[in-house]
Amino acid sequence: MKCAVILAGGKGTRMKADCPKVMCNVIFKPMISYVIDAVKDAGVRDICVITGYKHEEVEAYLPEDIKTALQEPQLGTGHAVMQAGEFIRAHSGDEILILNGDGPLMDAETINKAYEYHKSNGNSITVISAIVDDTEGIGHIKRDKNGTLLKIVEHKDATAEEKQIRESNSGCYWFNGADLIYALENITNENAQKEYYLTDSLEILISAGKNAGAYVVENSEVVLGANDRKQLNDLNNIMRRNINTRLMLDGVDIPCTDGVIIGKDVKIGNSTVILPNTIILGNTVIGSGCTIGPNSYLDNAVVGNNVILDNCKILDSEVEDGVDAGPFVKVRANSVLKKGVHIGNFVEVKNSVVGEGSKSAHLTYIGDSDVGRDVNFGCGTVTCNYDGKNKSRCVIGDGAFIGCNTNLVAPVEVGEQAYIAAGSTITDSIPEKALSIARARQVIKESWVDIKKPYKEKK
Ligand code: UD1
Ligand code: CA
């Protein structure tokens, strides 16, 4: 059975981050999550992550099926793998994949192709390599003049001549289990950084007469990692472009990608249009024929078909078919906008269900409420759901008509088809089909201005 070791113990000094480097985000997700996904997508299930610097933070993030081994202190990538001794010994008869946790562009296809190459050549070690332009900080793959592999030379240890070598180590390898154990026993720290380099395994296994190979990838981007914020931005740009491209090829219409950032796990149906400055994250699922954006932000939203979200923020909520929302709408956690709902400018919905066909066109707050179907909210309706201590719910029956500038002081129930006069502050529940007026009656004082002359004396 195949297995994998992912290196995530390093601090990542050059990132100047408070978190471990592998927890730095690419498209709003920690780099290590992409590496884990790639490994799992490649069909490798038994995974051990090496943690070290701020290990609690990495461990808390990892899915439950991932094993961990602690590296304390962090003395290099070879030393990191040594900490997984028990895991590796249990897999001594297997092929073991080792990857850097800071290389989020590595993909399942590359991992699997490298595995086939590894097996068909009977290799003890196969390093995944690529030809890159910028070799700063990488390990150079050194070959003899016939192209036969010799060793990996880290940039810091390389001679001026070796620094010219553009074939670089991705930090991703397939090892035969028993041969990996042998290599780990022979790695020393005699180098510029006084670290135990995993990369030395190549030369160690070649010297022991074993087969070694480099699987050179065509798309050199998959081997890129991030050591600092600039490289992190480069990875974000590549990841963003890759995701957008995949969606466009699946029929999503992105006429202009400016400011369009879509998470890797987001699913979008064909013929949906994504307009500029739109960020779609988490496990958001969007149907077909929708127009999302401009300037919208969706996180963990479930959106049906033919929905319009114009300048909307939708968080952890569901928006059913045919909803038309925006501009300037915020839907907060745990809300459902049922079919055909219309929510207009400056409306906020929180922890509420708004029933089919209900309309709230302007300036309204619907919080902690259960709203039936075909309810009409007048402009400026406010559910007063918080008394300073407790949150309470409003229940609004089907077909109710709520006049403009109504306050519904929760808990309160509005019966089906009941009417509320504009400007009412409702504190008592209203029976169905009743009209409720809760405001002072209008008073007219004739010629009041002439009598009182309240402002300034007329000349
Ligand atoms: C490493 C490779 C280099 C390769 C490059 C690709 C070595 C010696 N060098 O260099 O050949 O071109 O990756 O990106 O392996 N880590 C630990 N414990 C440690 C040190 C590192 O767990 O003691 C982890 C880091 O968290 C990181 C990964 O190992 O996820 C790689 O470490 P990093 O320091 O970034 O190695 P590079 O210098 O990039
Ligand atoms: Ca690195």
Side-chain angles (χ1 to χ4, degrees):
M1 202 183 63
K2 297 176 204 169
C3 69
V5 176
I6 299 175
L7 308 188
K11 178 173 184 212
T13 312
R14 288 163 285 178
M15 200 63 86
K16 301 193 170 103
D18 295 330
C19 61
K21 178 170 62 170
V22 298
M23 293 300 288
C24 287
N25 281 356
V26 166
I27 312 287
F28 303 98
K29 267 181 32 159
M31 287 197 276
I32 192 169
S33 71
Y34 295 92
V35 180
I36 292 171
D37 285 354
V39 171
K40 287 185 173 174
D41 289 350
V44 181
R45 295 282 153 210
D46 202 4
I47 302 171
C48 179
V49 171
I50 311 298
T51 60
Y53 177 71
K54 290 198 176 173
H55 59 97
E56 301 88 350
E57 215 173 300
V58 180
E59 285 154 11
Y61 178 76
L62 293 175
E64 279 192 352
D65 58 337
I66 306 279
K67 301 183 174 89
T68 59
L70 183 61
Q71 183 198 19
E72 202 85 81
Q74 292 89 44
L75 303 176
T77 50
H79 180 254
V81 178
M82 291 172 197
Q83 311 314 306
E86 201 182 315
F87 179 84
I88 291 168
R89 280 192 296 277
H91 285 280
S92 60
D94 301 332
E95 302 308 312
I96 301 179
L97 173 69
I98 298 183
L99 325 88
N100 286 346
D102 66 345
L105 297 170
M106 180 54 65
D107 61 22
E109 195 189 337
T110 305
I111 290 169
N112 281 333
K113 283 188 176 164
Y115 178 79
E116 282 160 29
Y117 170 86
H118 176 74
K119 288 301 276 182
S120 62
N121 287 281
N123 285 347
S124 290
I125 174 173
T126 297
V127 48
I128 299 178
S129 71
I131 312 298
V132 302
D133 293 329
D134 181 7
T135 61
E136 182 69 38
I138 58 110
H140 301 268
I141 307 279
K142 193 168 183 184
R143 297 170 183 267
D144 69 12
K145 57 180 184 308
N146 302 319
T148 307
L149 281 179
L150 296 175
K151 58 177 174 174
I152 301 171
V153 186
E154 289 303 297
H155 199 72
K156 283 200 176 123
D157 300 292
T159 63
E161 197 185 332
E162 286 165 338
K163 283 185 173 140
Q164 301 303 311
I165 301 172
R166 288 173 56 225
E167 184 178 358
S168 80
N169 169 25
S170 66
C172 180
Y173 328 74
W174 278 105
F175 277 92
N176 169 270
D179 294 328
L180 173 61
I181 293 169
Y182 172 81
L184 292 176
E185 285 164 358
N186 288 281
I187 293 175
T188 66
N189 65 349
E190 287 147 25
N191 52 55
Q193 305 189 83
K194 293 279 165 282
E195 284 186 359
Y196 294 85
Y197 290 164
L198 180 61
T199 44
D200 286 352
S201 318
L202 184 70
E203 194 183 10
I204 289 167
L205 292 172
I206 290 172
S207 302
K210 304 282 184 179
N211 280 356
Y215 177 76
V216 190
V217 292
E218 276 163 37
N219 173 10
S220 64
E221 285 177 350
V222 304
V223 308
L224 295 179
N227 296 318
D228 57 33
R229 300 284 184 177
K230 172 66 183 78
Q231 290 176 338
L232 195 62
N233 176 254
D234 292 341
L235 296 189
N236 269 284
N237 287 333
I238 295 169
M239 187 72 81
R240 182 166 88 93
R241 190 200 61 208
N242 288 349
I243 294 169
N244 287 348
T245 302
R246 171 173 54 79
L247 289 167
M248 288 186 264
L249 295 177
D250 283 348
V252 177
D253 190 2
I254 310 180
C256 167
T257 55
D258 289 359
V260 173
I261 307 176
I262 302 176
K264 183 173 161 274
D265 304 321
V266 170
K267 294 186 175 65
I268 306 180
N270 68 303
S271 296
T272 281
V273 185
I274 309 293
L275 295 175
N277 278 329
T278 292
I279 299 177
I280 308 176
L281 300 176
N283 293 315
T284 296
V285 179
I286 300 173
S288 311
C290 300
T291 302
I292 312 294
N295 312 316
S296 292
Y297 184 103
L298 282 67
D299 193 0
N300 289 324
V302 177
V303 177
N305 301 317
N306 305 313
V307 168
I308 297 172
L309 299 175
D310 167 10
N311 284 270
C312 291
K313 189 161 204 165
I314 314 280
L315 309 172
D316 299 293
S317 289
E318 217 180 308
V319 177
E320 294 188 356
D321 294 354
V323 166
D324 171 4
F328 317 119
V329 159
K330 185 174 185 187
V331 178
R332 288 161 57 198
N334 232 345
S335 297
V336 184
L337 307 183
K338 298 266 190 190
K339 280 186 188 153
V341 160
H342 171 59
I343 302 275
N345 33 205
F346 306 106
V347 172
E348 176 173 338
V349 179
K350 187 213 85 176
N351 190 26
S352 295
V353 178
V354 181
E356 211 172 307
S358 289
K359 292 186 171 49
S360 176
H362 3 242
L363 302 168
T364 288
Y365 174 55
I366 303 171
D368 301 311
S369 298
D370 301 299
V371 179
R373 53 197 298 163
D374 298 318
V375 170
N376 197 316
F377 287 87
C379 176
T381 302
V382 174
T383 54
C384 311
N385 58 324
Y386 185 50
D387 62 9
K389 250 194 207 158
N390 301 308
K391 301 263 168 78
S392 304
R393 296 191 78 82
C394 291
V395 178
I396 301 169
D398 295 347
F401 182 98
I402 300 171
C404 289
N405 209 23
T406 291
N407 298 313
L408 295 161
V409 182
V412 79
E413 222 168 294
V414 179
E416 289 185 12
Q417 296 179 59
Y419 272 65
I420 298 173
S424 293
T425 292
I426 301 297
T427 52
D428 299 324
S429 291
I430 305 168
E432 60 176 50
K433 295 190 177 172
L435 166 67
S436 175
I437 310 167
R439 63 178 185 227
R441 187 169 280 284
Q442 184 171 341
V443 176
I444 303 236
K445 301 200 171 180
E446 294 284 354
S447 301
W448 180 82
V449 172
D450 289 338
I451 300 160
K452 277 283 200 186
K453 294 200 171 47
Y455 302 118
K456 49 190 169 188
E457 290 293 325
K458 280 201 185 115
K459 285 188 182 145

